[in-house]
Amino acid sequence: MSLRDKVLAQVRARSPLRVRPEPPLPALTPTWADASVRRIAAALERAQRRDAGGWFVVGRSSDVPDAPRAESITRVVAGRELALWRGSDGRLHAGPGACPHLGALLDRCPVAGDMVLCRWHGMALADGRHGYREHPAYDDGVLAWVRLPAEGETPTPAPRLPQRPDPERTIAAVYVGRMRCEPADVIANRLDPWHGAWFHPYAFSHLTVDESASDADRLVLDVTFRLGRTFGVPVRASFHTPDSRTIVMTILDGEGTGSVVETHATPLGTDRDGAAVTVLTEATIATSDRLGFRMLRPAARLVRPLIVRTAAGLWRDDQDYAERRYAVRRGEAGIGKVRRG
Ligand code: FES
Ligand SMILES: [Fe+2]
């Protein structure tokens, strides 16, 4: 091997970048035949049968302030108002969003010990006080969850978390968006990886689903994440749905092996037109053995906005996809009723 080839081999071994010129759209192989309507519907049906145990993601764990600035926040899940707060030990609490006295919204209320104090007249609320009943809550370090009665679901003590990389070696960032569709439309978008290179050519190319490694429960694909027109980072990734409201992408090989992107779809309720509204919470939990990544970890605060901006860019398109899917199902497509929620 010549010196030049040796140097090139060294550079290649150390860098995840590969020359992967962006193919022009007309040169792409059509993928519609692979993105079989029946196959996607069957995968979605299987996903929807996976019991989420009544657990709903309600936001980032960092959304709920801790002492000394502890106060309540509110969320809506499936049309139900919820208040969330942290007790003096940092534990996450959740309960109805309305005060049992005169119905005040328990938003930005002070916290004393484990109790939230209503801002209207100071009623101190915690499980069992004044008829107030808390809901089980769970903080996984990245996301906050609440368990609610959910039709067809058997309550479990904790949400079934997908396998994540060691938190000591990760940078986690969460994107939250809202869209006019049902949770199933968000999951269905991710169960169709074949749209990747066509619909997001600026982000993905060289995308092929490895049928021999895929099965009914897991899609395995090879894809290049684009870094401009010439360079890209090839990886191997899988998608699986641990429960009816979650789909997880795991990097199996290549840069960031072990990193996961968890997409959680939480029903919010309906808008004025009676259309479903879903909140998307997407946690990117990145890891890498590279020295550069380890050096970046202390600066995670600076990196998180970049991860969130990338997720937001992709979701601009995928929101259109999910909302359009919902509109078609509602018979709205083509009759001028389609608009963003
Ligand atoms: S409304 Fe909450 S204490 Fe009166
Ligand atoms: Fe997409």
Side-chain angles (χ1 to χ4, degrees):
M1 193 188 275
S2 73
L3 182 63
R4 180 177 169 276
D5 288 345
K6 278 185 187 158
V7 171
L8 279 177
Q10 280 286 325
V11 170
R12 200 179 149 83
R14 281 164 192 266
S15 166
L17 289 185
R18 297 289 178 269
V19 175
R20 286 279 197 285
E22 185 180 316
L25 273 183
L28 279 180
T29 307
T31 54
W32 64 268
D34 295 322
S36 147
V37 175
R38 191 185 297 180
R39 179 175 178 174
I40 294 169
L44 181 61
E45 205 202 313
R46 286 176 68 81
Q48 290 189 299
R49 283 206 300 264
R50 291 198 182 103
D51 192 338
W55 289 95
F56 295 82
V57 166
V58 284
R60 304 170 186 87
S61 122
S62 60
D63 289 345
V64 193
D66 211 340
R69 277 194 279 272
E71 63 175 16
S72 61
I73 64 165
T74 49
R75 292 283 186 271
V76 176
V77 173
R80 186 191 286 248
E81 282 174 346
L82 299 172
L84 296 144
W85 70 96
R86 287 188 193 280
S88 50
D89 59 355
R91 195 165 69 82
L92 183 68
H93 293 256
C99 175
H101 177 218
L102 286 175
L105 183 64
L106 297 171
D107 192 28
R108 291 176 294 129
C109 297
V111 174
D114 278 351
M115 298 177 293
V116 64
L117 310 178
C118 176
R119 290 172 72 210
W120 281 15
H121 312 94
M123 184 180 270
L125 299 167
D127 197 39
R129 290 179 67 94
H130 309 290
Y132 191 79
R133 281 283 163 213
E134 290 188 24
H135 301 295
Y138 189 89
D139 183 343
D140 69 26
V142 177
L143 301 172
W145 303 71
V146 173
R147 196 183 77 200
L148 297 171
E151 201 185 320
E153 298 187 14
T154 307
T156 54
R160 192 178 304 124
L161 293 181
Q163 188 170 358
R164 291 176 174 173
D166 176 0
E168 296 299 316
R169 303 170 59 131
T170 58
I171 296 177
V174 181
Y175 167 72
V176 179
R178 180 187 286 211
M179 48 201 73
R180 185 182 188 266
C181 64
E182 293 176 333
D185 298 298
V186 170
I187 305 299
N189 167 268
R190 286 292 192 260
L191 287 171
D192 165 17
W194 297 276
H195 76 265
W198 276 95
F199 200 39
H200 316 282
Y202 56 86
F204 304 116
S205 68
H206 303 80
L207 191 157
T208 50
V209 173
D210 184 342
E211 296 292 356
S212 64
S214 302
D215 57 32
D217 294 324
R218 190 173 297 263
L219 279 166
V220 177
L221 53 115
D222 296 292
V223 61
T224 294
F225 287 103
R226 301 229 51 80
L227 294 175
R229 290 194 164 274
T230 310
F231 292 99
V233 179
V235 298
R236 187 167 176 83
S238 70
F239 284 93
H240 77 284
T241 48
D243 67 61
S244 57
R245 294 184 279 274
T246 304
I247 184 158
V248 180
M249 183 185 80
T250 306
I251 304 292
L252 302 176
D253 198 12
E255 182 60 17
T257 297
S259 301
V260 296
V261 178
E262 294 177 14
T263 306
H264 301 273
T266 303
L268 189 144
T270 50
D271 66 12
R272 285 199 191 115
D273 296 339
V277 181
T278 293
V279 175
L280 162 95
T281 310
E282 187 165 271
T284 301
I285 305 173
T287 190
S288 170
D289 286 333
R290 283 183 191 281
L291 180 63
F293 182 85
R294 291 204 294 278
M295 288 167 68
L296 260 184
R297 276 202 72 229
R301 285 165 63 96
L302 304 175
V303 179
R304 277 193 198 103
L306 303 177
I307 298 177
V308 169
R309 194 187 309 164
T310 305
L314 282 174
W315 272 108
R316 259 194 293 281
D317 289 338
D318 284 331
Q319 177 169 352
D320 282 345
Y321 180 121
E323 290 185 342
R324 176 69 183 182
R325 193 179 183 281
Y326 179 60
V328 168
R329 195 162 68 257
R330 276 174 49 106
E332 292 178 343
I335 54 171
K337 271 198 193 166
V338 181
R339 62 171 185 259
R340 289 185 99 98

